[in-house]
Amino acid sequence: MSLSASRHLHRQFTWLQTCAETAEADLCACLRQRPEVEVTLLISDQSRADFPPIAARQAAEWLGRETDRVILDAFAGFNPNAFAQICGTLKGGGELILLSPEASAWPGYADPEYAALRGSRYQSMVFPGYFLQRLVSQLASPWPPTCVPETRFCEPPYLSQQQAHLVEQLVADFSTTALTAVITADRGRGKTASLGLALSQLLTEQPLKVVVTAPSRAAVDALFSALLRQCPDGRLVGSGFDHPRLQVRFYPPAVLLQKSPEADLVIVDEAAAIPVSLLQSIRQLCSRQWFATTLHGYEGNGRGFELRFLSSLSAQVPGWKRYCLTDPVRWASGDPLEALSYRVLLLDAEPPPLPEPDTLPAADVTAAYQSIRVRELLADERLLRQVFGLLIAAHYRTTPNDLRQLLDSPDLQIRVLSWQSQPLAVALLVDEGPVPEALIEPIWGGYRRPGGDLIPQTLLSREGLRSAARLRGWRVMRIAVHPQWQARGLGGQLLTAVADEATELGLDFCGASFAASEALLRFWQRHHYVPLRLGERGDRVTAGWPLLVFRALSESAESVALSAQQLFARRLALRLNQPELQQQRAFVQRCLSVLPQPDSLASADPEALYGFAFQQRSLEDSMLVLRDWLGSAKLMKAVQELSCADQALLMGRVWQLHSAEQVAEASAIQGKQAQLQRLRHLVAELLDVERQMDQEYSEC
């Protein structure tokens, strides 16, 4: 099978069906019928036709480079992310050759990519090949006739008239003191290079300090390449660029917020792959910002960015400007390979179109809870696109590999809330536990870490809780609510229905693991999940800390949860002085407020507390007893009722051991003596609150 229009700068797709024994010979015969090209990229686990191979997971290293021909050897496994990435490298007139088993045999082929899905309990499983079934069906489907694109001419260094116009507008608008520009495009439109071209023009008008952020440094290679081409007096320095009139520095998003460097302009590329909360904080760093993002691509989908960030931007920055690039620069419009990649990988999947809930009578918006089997998704392409579209809209890092996981993971289950057969919310559940008996001691001892069973294994290996290994439950891997129907309790309704079903099935727990924030933890806490473990380091992109939350459904799980929470409380207290955690005070306080602790005065000296609050005992001499006292869940809940300034003072001086100067701004109190007086007042106030709480408890 072949799709070809290379003479119009469309790219050609050839599906070479063969068998393992003759694959090499058939590929060589195919290549002999084609002209030699300059750059051929082979994705495989072995050399083919004398070309050196690269592994599928190395395909991302080719981003920003151009290829004339790509050979994807599916006998080495079909990796959806790699397929999307190599399509992005192939320039107009090039060719993608997909080498695979015969269509009838491919779904039953033992694809090496299954290794990532097996875990410790599925080593001997024969996979049904649902993803490959759909892939074969999509590749074999008829395609609309290829249109002949218009011929466009453009003066260098631009690759399209749209790109030239965008650069012109960005340069012209830069004179505006406060400017927020948003540039959106599909992959291959020259978006990132346009940012570099605009900077190369701006430096002729004034010296500039520019900060660039993106999920990875590789994502902005095209920006720095454009600067090097246009500014021969400049040079790359570390992860930035230096020129006599231009300094560009790259930071990961979380690092950028931590350092807050001075800049005339902040550029955010691949903004759809960065949480909206971080984008909103980044917007405050500078009066001029350029936000750029790919709407449909392998690094994540821009739908959530459009729905959440742009709507908040309209409310907060009414004068922001939007620019769209639609014309490809590496290939011609109407490219059949681009259409193929979108169709095969659902890069443009959308949530179902729904009416606004406010326009419907309350009785008409009842949501039904149901299970969806993968076979149903295979039989109904519309339903598959809607479910996957919900996941894309809700999560900033949904990639093509997630589609394969959705269809092929043996331990994955799908639950939805639907209205009139339309999915409103979806949860992906992973079966976890029990850990095989023979693996418990090797995992506890740190000798083994097999795939799967994330929550039982984490509690066993990291917390040393052997009893956790015998628990069975569901891990909520993803939960997504239709953007139009959010903030209406559907997420909580879905979590409750999942927990009820798990209880009926006799499972021990429901849990989740995610990059946490105070708001996210608050959501899970409302639905009876408690934090059990905080990861060792925060995410440099999201600034979130990996957090494991847990809802016990059985007595054995309750016992494990209590032990884990007590360990968590002690570990968290030890880590509060980490600079990274000091930026997450609200999150840490919420964690501490839900953890079980001994009654406050049972673990603290009441006489010493009263001596600090009502007499003149020093803060330094009272520090240990204050920390023990404030560390109780009861007191932490009371602390959260204080004003933000008082919380900053109390937690900063006592828990985080900050100096008076360090907490002065957040607490709005200058000077060590003034802060000490306020601390005495707050401790006295909290002692009174505690007394009232103890009295109410005794009366019950």
Side-chain angles (χ1 to χ4, degrees), residues 333-543:
S333 299
D335 180 72
L337 182 58
E338 183 173 61
L340 173 68
S341 64
Y342 277 38
R343 177 168 161 174
V344 164
L345 303 177
L346 296 182
L347 295 179
D348 56 352
E350 299 277 356
L354 294 174
E356 292 291 340
D358 291 337
T359 65
L360 301 171
D364 292 342
V365 294
T366 303
Y369 176 72
Q370 64 182 111
S371 170
I372 294 181
R373 298 186 179 277
V374 173
R375 288 187 177 275
E376 295 176 58
L377 296 179
L378 286 178
D380 188 343
E381 182 72 10
R382 180 190 62 85
L383 178 62
L384 174 61
R385 292 184 67 87
Q386 290 178 346
V387 168
F388 199 62
L390 277 178
L391 296 171
I392 285 173
H395 199 270
Y396 55 89
R397 282 182 176 172
T398 301
T399 67
N401 276 357
D402 292 316
L403 176 61
R404 178 148 208 182
Q405 187 174 32
L406 178 70
L407 297 179
D408 277 346
S409 286
D411 54 0
L412 190 68
Q413 301 193 43
I414 307 166
R415 299 293 185 270
V416 300
L417 290 179
S418 60
W419 173 77
Q420 295 188 357
S421 300
Q422 306 286 327
L424 296 177
V426 59
L428 303 186
L429 312 175
V430 179
D431 297 323
E432 298 215 331
V435 175
E437 197 70 28
L439 290 176
I440 292 178
E441 288 306 314
I443 292 172
W444 182 90
Y447 300 104
R448 294 286 305 275
R449 192 67 170 95
D453 301 322
L454 184 147
I455 291 176
Q457 281 205 56
T458 298
L459 296 177
L460 170 63
S461 65
R462 306 305 298 271
E463 305 299 340
L465 300 174
R466 288 182 174 86
S467 53
R470 297 177 175 86
L471 300 179
R472 291 175 58 242
W474 281 338
R475 175 167 58 89
V476 183
M477 187 179 77
R478 291 278 182 90
I479 183 168
V481 177
H482 195 292
Q484 293 174 248
W485 290 57
Q486 289 177 359
R488 296 176 181 276
L490 290 175
Q493 184 180 336
L494 183 53
L495 284 181
T496 299
V498 165
D500 290 345
E501 183 186 0
T503 302
E504 291 177 9
L505 293 172
L507 300 183
D508 297 298
F509 71 88
C510 289
S513 181
F514 49 87
S517 65
E518 194 269 340
L520 268 179
L521 177 56
R522 189 167 59 244
F523 165 77
W524 288 90
Q525 181 190 347
R526 278 201 306 268
H527 302 292
H528 312 292
Y529 285 76
V530 294
L532 295 192
R533 179 173 176 81
L534 191 66
E536 299 299 327
R537 62 182 63 179
D539 190 298
R540 287 165 65 86
V541 174
T542 67

Side-chain angles (χ1 to χ4, degrees), residues 165-185:
H165 179 67
L166 170 62
V167 171
E168 179 184 345
Q169 288 296 115
L170 289 175
V171 171
D173 292 341
F174 192 80
S175 59
T176 305
T177 304
L179 168 68
T180 298
V182 176
I183 303 102
T184 58

